[in-house]
Amino acid sequence: MENARDPSVAAIFQPDGGPPRALLVAGCCGNVGFGKLGQLARILARHGVPVIALDLSPAVDQVAAKLAEQFAPRVSPAEIEAITKAIIPIRGGIADIPAELKIGLVFEAVPESLAIKKPLYAAIRARDPEALIFSATSGFTTRHLFDDLPGADRCGVLHPFFPHLTNKLWELPEQGAVTGAATLKQIKAFLGRAGMTLISVGDVPSFAADRLFCGMMLEAVRIHESTGLSPAQIDDACKQLLGTSPFFVHNLIRGANGLSAHCMELMREEVDSSLYAIPDAWKPYIADPGKQWPYERGQKCPPEGVAVVRARMYGMLFALTARMLAHKIVTADALNYLAEKALAFRDGPPALIAAMGLEQAAALTRAFLVEQQITRADEVAPLDVFSRTGLGEHVGWDSIYVGRSVSGGVGLISLKRSTLGHTLLAEFGRAVDALQADPAVEAIVVAPDGLYNRDFGHGADIGAFVPVLGKRDAALALIQGWKAALAKLRAGKPTVAAIVGRALGGGMELASSCHARIAGEGAVIAQPEPTVGVIPGLGGCHLLHRSSAPEHYAALNELLLTGKSIHAARARELGLVSAVVPVRDLPRASGELALSLARGTAPLPPFRTGPAEVAVDRAVDPRNEQGVVLDAELRDLLARTIEDANALDVAAGGALEEQRAADSLNQSAARVGVTAMSRGKPPVFEHPLA
């Protein structure tokens, strides 16, 4: 078997060098258990680790076949066979597991009842004293679960997120948890090596993400009960305001109403406030796991209803956020990430608060607490945290999306989000200013942070384009505002973009705004704007050419006109990156390059500031990489912009590009492309090239 070559696996499943111990998934027929059974079995199958699928239901005998069916569209038959071969289905309890199978790790996903969970843990501990036991609970703390269990330090919580078969995000309660340091180290090493993202949170009822998710549903029900707005109308307003739909999601998941209410009840044990009170309208849906809210899809919320939902939903979410940040249950950037990646928020509450302004957010929340007569309001919503002094000092309101640090003369700007937007670029501009002004900083490196974001950048947030479609002046203001932040990268100390994963669209334009670029092996670069129906507006139409040689202009033109991608090695050939290195060496290599540029031991990469003739062949492939036929009007505008921007000096070319990009957001191609992308569908343009 292979685990001897993977210490993170061996530490849990083969600590004594003997036969591999098993993974036990208890409650494998439930939604969470089944999904994590498949996800973890896929990781462990290649290491020869047996996987016990345990449940009282007769359906346990079919879990392997059901997993094979779920994996079939995206996993090879050989891998599916290896996964299912590793699974041992057992209908019954701990006593029914064959004695020769020792257990290394338990993932428990049984019903949310201490009366069921605690006897299970006791039986596991009696059978396998050394086993690690982790619960998938959505609300109980580690103290609720394990305080009276022998070996509690080898126990903990791993709170996963839907869809459970594919989602790699987990909350890991650490602060205040009974889980020991050695156990935390083992589980982090194992799951981190497997590509999972573990977000550290406090060991409090409902942790962090569910406080938002369940609180959002609680307030949605109260709005429904008090205003008469239908569930679908409230969802429509929430979709506009937050990007997510509480009633629709709860109708989708059997038993979700009960779980969400349970989380609120646990929080009320922490502070007995009416903020967490369960309204009568919710109780029938809590009592009956199969009962669904009446829902007529397509219902629109009237404007006055949207205003009500905004005041109350923002008030609720901001109040919940205030307590979590004030009590250090989670950091602002982590909470924001959880809201966006686990709960499908367009912008997380911390980002909404920062964008609104701290004083205004505090005033809105205070008004909500007063109008809804929330008891113990100061405890459940300590609004002093909405400041940059006092309680708010530790929050990091200026680092929700962008981190900043200095080491060895290099200032590092860490991107925590893969898409560009208003808040990210405002933070980015402030980070560049601070590092440019810091005498300890000789040069600056821009890179993804590696936890919240593992790609250099996926482009602009498509939602930012929607309000400016067909509004040229607003579109121009957006482009110029964003571009002002990127322009700071060439205004002083040498800057280096450390490209890893994907650098697409606006992400590549950010990289192109730096003095130099270095890429990790396997990085992918593209300007896919034609598929979105827009042209690059942050430098893409001319910065690529200015960093390259004339013999490569034709290849760059084709890249821009088709939106097709290239890999790092090809980008190196075209002069777009200075070097390509193994990903593990990228942090060191980017810092060394930045310092060598600052100290004059290496020259700045060539960059043409003056005009040049660039002739664009419009007759390149009319389709993108996915076969989508692109728009003829947009191609003509893009081709002319490439030619015209390059024919000017860099400042004038950039100004012209801004105007043309605003023009593109006024064309039909933008309306079609942005709408299609926001719906996850390929665009069908009005003026197809073929």
Side-chain angles (χ1 to χ4, degrees):
M1 62 176 288
E2 298 181 18
N3 15 352
R5 288 183 286 172
D6 189 338
S8 70
V9 175
I12 296 174
F13 297 100
Q14 205 177 17
D16 53 7
R21 300 179 184 184
L23 166 71
L24 168 63
V25 179
C28 67
C29 292
N31 186 34
V32 178
F34 175 77
K36 292 311 173 189
L37 169 71
Q39 190 177 58
L40 296 174
R42 187 178 182 187
I43 295 167
L44 293 172
R46 67 180 70 99
H47 299 291
V49 174
V51 178
I52 301 170
L54 182 71
D55 207 290
L56 296 173
S57 169
V60 70
D61 294 326
Q62 303 302 316
V63 293
K66 188 177 176 183
L67 276 175
E69 182 182 341
Q70 293 288 316
F71 277 132
R74 56 186 177 278
V75 178
S76 71
E79 187 179 358
I80 291 174
E81 182 180 3
I83 295 168
T84 55
K85 186 177 178 181
I87 295 173
I88 303 167
I90 295 177
R91 181 184 178 188
I94 300 301
D96 298 301
I97 300 173
E100 66 272 15
L101 277 176
K102 292 186 73 175
I103 299 169
L105 171 65
V106 177
F107 182 74
E108 171 269 301
V110 303
E112 194 77 341
S113 166
L114 292 177
I116 297 174
K117 291 177 184 288
K118 288 202 167 192
L120 175 67
Y121 303 152
I124 294 167
R125 187 57 80 226
R127 185 189 189 279
D128 290 273
E130 296 179 0
L132 303 185
I133 304 173
F134 277 82
S135 175
T137 175
S138 61
F140 288 124
T141 67
T142 63
R143 297 181 302 283
H144 277 118
L145 297 167
F146 306 115
D147 240 354
D148 54 354
L149 186 73
D153 63 309
R154 293 190 298 281
C155 302
V157 166
L158 280 168
H159 181 209
F161 295 98
F162 181 87
H164 297 292
L165 187 61
T166 56
N167 198 320
K168 296 181 178 182
L169 179 59
W170 312 67
E171 282 180 315
L172 176 63
E174 292 190 64
Q175 300 80 27
V178 301
T179 317
T183 299
L184 288 170
K185 183 177 180 180
Q186 285 183 318
I187 206 70
K188 286 179 179 179
F190 166 53
L191 291 178
R193 183 69 180 268
M196 304 292 155
T197 299
L198 303 180
I199 303 300
S200 175
V201 298
D203 189 38
V204 296
S206 305
F207 318 117
D210 271 7
R211 288 184 173 226
L212 294 180
F213 177 73
C214 303
M216 176 176 62
M217 183 59 180
L218 172 58
E219 192 58 32
V221 174
R222 290 198 287 227
I223 294 169
H224 169 59
E225 184 179 53
S226 63
T227 68
L229 288 170
S230 72
Q233 287 176 316
I234 294 169
D235 272 9
D236 177 59
C238 288
K239 195 75 173 177
Q240 295 178 49
L241 298 165
L242 303 169
T244 189
S245 308
F247 284 105
F248 181 80
V249 172
H250 278 73
N251 273 354
L252 194 66
I253 305 171
R254 179 180 171 83
N257 287 286
L259 288 173
S260 290
H262 175 64
C263 286
M264 292 292 99
E265 289 165 346
L266 287 172
M267 289 167 65
R268 195 165 190 176
E269 291 178 11
E270 186 180 56
V271 180
D272 187 9
S273 168
S274 59
L275 185 70
Y276 312 128
I278 305 300
D280 290 340
W282 205 3
K283 293 177 181 177
Y285 299 87
I286 297 167
D288 181 358
K291 187 175 178 63
Q292 292 195 333
W293 294 93
Y295 206 91
E296 184 180 335
R297 297 187 69 172
Q299 283 187 342
K300 298 296 181 183
C301 189
E304 61 275 15
V306 174
V308 170
V309 174
R310 181 184 185 276
R312 292 185 57 175
M313 192 60 74
Y314 279 11
M316 179 66 166
L317 293 171
F318 292 0
L320 295 167
T321 297
R323 181 169 176 81
M324 283 190 273
L325 298 184
H327 288 268
K328 300 183 181 181
I329 293 168
V330 64
T331 59
D333 52 358
L335 181 61
N336 203 72
Y337 179 83
L338 286 167
E340 293 177 1
K341 298 299 182 181
L343 307 181
F345 279 53
R346 186 167 46 248
D347 298 293
L352 290 171
I353 291 164
M356 181 182 294
L358 300 183
E359 289 186 8
Q360 186 175 346
L364 182 151
T365 311
R366 190 174 295 108
F368 162 78
L369 295 168
V370 171
E371 289 169 6
Q372 300 307 312
Q373 300 180 350
I374 301 301
T375 58
R376 301 178 72 175
D378 290 344
E379 293 179 64
V380 293
L383 298 183
D384 285 350
V385 81
F386 291 168
S387 69
R388 287 180 169 82
T389 59
L391 286 178
E393 284 181 331
H394 70 268
V395 170
W397 289 115
D398 288 325
S399 58
I400 294 167
Y401 290 129
V402 177
R404 184 177 85 241
S405 61
V406 180
S407 177
V410 176
L412 176 63
I413 295 178
S414 303
L415 305 174
K416 303 179 189 180
R417 193 186 199 192
S418 62
T419 54
L420 303 183
H422 301 303
T423 303
L424 183 149
L425 284 167
E427 289 184 13
F428 184 84
R430 291 192 289 270
V432 176
D433 287 341
L435 294 177
Q436 293 282 15
D438 188 339
V441 173
E442 298 177 60
I444 298 170
V445 170
V446 183
D449 81 307
L451 174 62
Y452 304 125
N453 176 29
R454 296 175 184 174
D455 288 315
F456 189 86
H458 294 176
D461 178 1
I462 201 70
F465 290 159
V466 174
V468 302
L469 288 174
K471 301 173 183 176
R472 190 184 184 285
D473 290 347
L476 181 60
L478 181 150
I479 294 162
Q480 291 176 334
W482 287 12
K483 202 166 188 177
L486 303 191
K488 297 179 179 185
L489 288 166
R490 285 185 180 269
K493 298 169 184 177
T495 53
V496 174
I499 299 174
V500 65
R502 290 173 286 182
L504 311 179
M508 185 55 192
E509 289 176 293
L510 189 158
S512 299
S513 299
C514 294
H515 291 99
R517 288 148 296 285
I518 184 169
E521 291 175 347
V524 175
I525 288 168
Q527 297 284 167
E529 285 88 346
T531 304
V532 190
V534 300
I535 71 169
L538 304 180
C541 293
H542 66 124
L543 293 185
L544 303 184
H545 298 79
R546 294 180 189 277
S547 301
S548 188
E551 60 265 28
H552 301 312
Y553 288 173
L556 296 176
N557 294 339
E558 184 172 0
L559 184 150
L560 285 160
L561 263 60
T562 63
K564 293 181 179 178
S565 61
I566 57 173
H567 285 82
R570 178 58 173 156
R572 175 71 181 88
E573 293 173 0
L574 296 176
L576 300 181
V577 300
S578 298
V580 179
V581 301
V583 172
R584 66 179 178 275
D585 296 335
L586 189 60
R588 174 189 55 78
S590 58
E592 290 177 353
L593 175 59
L595 286 177
S596 68
L597 297 178
R599 295 170 181 176
T601 55
L604 289 171
F607 183 77
R608 172 177 52 82
T609 59
E613 182 178 350
V614 177
V616 179
D617 178 7
R618 288 142 170 85
V620 294
D621 196 336
R623 294 173 172 82
N624 71 3
E625 282 180 320
Q626 292 74 39
V628 172
V629 178
L630 302 172
D631 189 85
E633 278 191 0
L634 183 75
R635 172 163 291 187
D636 179 64
L637 178 63
L638 177 53
R640 286 190 287 111
T641 304
I642 295 169
E643 292 171 339
D644 296 345
N646 276 284
L648 301 169
D649 65 47
V650 63
L656 180 139
E657 181 193 59
E658 295 167 3
Q659 298 288 334
R660 298 281 180 82
D663 290 340
S664 75
L665 283 160
N666 216 37
Q667 290 185 341
S668 69
R671 174 177 48 78
V672 172
V674 169
T675 301
M677 187 172 182
S678 63
R679 294 176 178 174
K681 297 180 179 180
V684 180
F685 292 111
E686 291 183 3
H687 310 101
L689 280 161

